[in-house]
Amino acid sequence: MPIDLYLLHTKLEDLKKKYQNLSYLETDPICFPKQYQDPLDIEVVSFISCLYAYGNVKSIQGFLKPIFLNLGKSPYQTLLAQDLKFQSFLSGLNVYRFQTKKDNQIFFQTLARVIAEKERTSPLLESYFLDSKEVFEETKSIQRFQSFWEEELKKTSGKKTLSYGLQFLIGKSTSKSPKKRLSLFLRWMVRSIYPDFGIYQRIKPNQIPFPLDVHIQKLIQILGITNRKSFGVKDAYLIKEFFKQINPTDPLLYDFYLTRVGIIEKCNADYQRQVCDVCYLKEVCLVFGSATGN
């Protein structure tokens, strides 16, 4: 059955109104860069937050809170200085899931060096996504960004190959994965509308891939947008193209709000009366329709 775009748009707008509230930012890693005013701090903190945004909310926040506390009032300045405070920060780093303490030290040493070698103006990292003509390319730009970091991390480690933890952190440039954490970083940087920051001006919101985290993957299936069970970077762009039918200039508008359905409402893509009967999306949900005959 074809998707009723008008009805879907209406329900998404209802969902947006529900979650367009600062109190809900605490359920998302974007709560960390929201604590800063300087665009340089926001960009650096966003990059760190997105790379480590895998696992459950409690694990992510448990790892990142001490990171930003120890980086002080200006994480950018602490990384730039590479002084005794920074050395103390490095020694205090812990393991996080696939990253060893050494992996995390190498990452932050690399980030500090890249920051120090860059002009002290915002934005810091946008150019690494762009080609020589300052163009963002769907099939190459995120991969280009990953290749840059792969080489910089190798330079810091002094090894020809990256550890599993470091490779996982930045992602393989050659993989066909959805690039979800870097897509999320781009969303924060490129969109200027709540809850994002709009720091990058050379990349447009309708160019970047949809961040296909586990919650979005489930939701786009039960909303009838796709029947795929596994997703790659091409699918991330296809989902973005679908949402362009609803909002041509800002297809990632509903990403934050849709992920609240999974994170806060605990949607598991199967019928649970206490969850589904009060869901704002039930009228456009295949699972609800199948379970209730609606």
Side-chain angles (χ1 to χ4, degrees):
M1 176 181 289
I3 294 174
D4 185 335
L5 288 176
Y6 177 80
L7 180 60
L8 177 60
H9 186 199
T10 301
K11 297 293 112 180
L12 289 171
E13 282 294 305
D14 290 341
L15 191 69
K16 185 180 77 170
K17 291 173 185 175
K18 177 180 180 180
Y19 287 117
Q20 201 168 38
N21 186 304
L22 291 174
S23 64
Y24 292 115
L25 292 182
E26 292 302 316
T27 63
D28 193 272
I30 203 170
C31 69
F32 295 109
K34 282 290 182 183
Q35 299 172 31
Y36 303 90
Q37 300 297 321
D38 189 322
L40 291 166
D41 286 323
I42 291 170
E43 185 178 4
V44 166
V45 171
S46 292
F47 183 52
I48 296 167
S49 299
C50 286
L51 289 189
Y52 286 99
Y54 71 97
N56 59 49
V57 172
K58 185 178 180 180
S59 296
I60 295 167
Q61 293 189 343
F63 178 73
L64 289 177
K65 280 182 179 179
I67 293 281
F68 299 125
L69 179 65
N70 293 330
L71 282 173
K73 292 183 178 180
S74 174
Y76 168 77
Q77 292 294 341
T78 300
L79 291 164
L80 180 65
Q82 299 184 58
D83 55 12
L84 289 176
K85 180 179 179 180
F86 177 65
Q87 297 306 318
S88 176
F89 163 76
L90 287 178
S91 66
L93 286 168
N94 293 316
V95 170
Y96 181 70
R97 301 197 72 194
F98 302 138
Q99 286 78 47
T100 65
K101 178 172 182 173
K102 184 64 174 178
D103 289 334
N104 291 324
Q105 288 174 332
I106 290 171
F107 168 69
F108 281 99
Q109 286 172 319
T110 305
L111 180 58
R113 177 169 50 77
V114 169
I115 287 173
E117 292 172 355
K118 188 77 174 175
E119 291 183 17
R120 300 182 187 188
T121 57
S122 177
L124 292 166
L125 305 176
E126 182 180 22
S127 62
Y128 298 121
F129 286 101
L130 306 175
D131 66 13
S132 59
K133 297 180 181 178
E134 297 196 343
V135 172
F136 182 88
E137 302 173 277
E138 283 193 2
T139 58
K140 297 179 181 179
S141 287
I142 293 179
Q143 292 86 339
R144 180 183 294 111
F145 186 80
Q146 288 176 309
S147 293
F148 167 79
W149 283 100
E150 285 170 341
E151 294 308 310
E152 293 301 317
L153 289 165
K154 289 176 188 176
K155 190 184 300 183
T156 303
S157 67
K159 296 181 180 179
K160 294 182 179 180
T161 58
L162 295 180
S163 67
Y164 177 79
L166 284 172
Q167 189 68 80
F168 183 91
L169 189 64
I170 198 62
K172 288 186 178 180
S173 58
T174 56
S175 79
K176 297 180 180 179
S177 72
K179 317 289 186 185
K180 58 186 177 184
R181 285 173 290 140
L182 289 178
S183 298
L184 182 64
F185 174 64
L186 281 171
R187 195 206 85 196
W188 293 3
M189 293 297 98
V190 172
R191 295 186 69 254
S192 58
I193 301 172
Y194 179 92
D196 303 317
F197 302 104
I199 291 173
Y200 293 175
Q201 300 297 313
R202 290 176 288 178
I203 306 172
K204 304 304 178 186
N206 62 4
Q207 292 180 297
I208 59 179
F210 211 98
L212 295 183
D213 77 351
V214 63
H215 303 292
I216 294 296
Q217 290 180 22
K218 290 178 181 178
L219 284 164
I220 58 178
Q221 292 179 60
I222 65 175
L223 292 175
I225 295 170
T226 182
N227 57 8
R228 289 187 62 82
K229 303 298 182 183
S230 60
F231 299 88
V233 67
K234 289 184 178 179
D235 301 293
Y237 282 106
L238 287 173
I239 299 306
K240 180 258 294 185
E241 290 298 321
F242 172 84
F243 281 99
K244 279 176 71 174
Q245 298 177 82
I246 296 174
N247 193 318
T249 60
D250 190 12
L252 273 60
L253 169 63
Y254 301 109
D255 177 51
F256 174 79
Y257 310 107
L258 283 168
T259 54
R260 298 316 94 191
V261 177
I263 294 170
I264 296 175
E265 298 179 24
K266 308 299 182 184
C267 173
N268 268 329
D270 56 6
Y271 182 72
Q272 302 171 71
R273 185 174 180 179
Q274 68 275 20
V275 174
C276 298
D277 286 8
V278 295
C279 180
Y280 278 49
L281 299 176
K282 64 182 181 182
E283 292 179 52
V284 289
C285 175
L286 299 179
V287 167
F288 182 84
S290 176
T292 61
N294 292 328

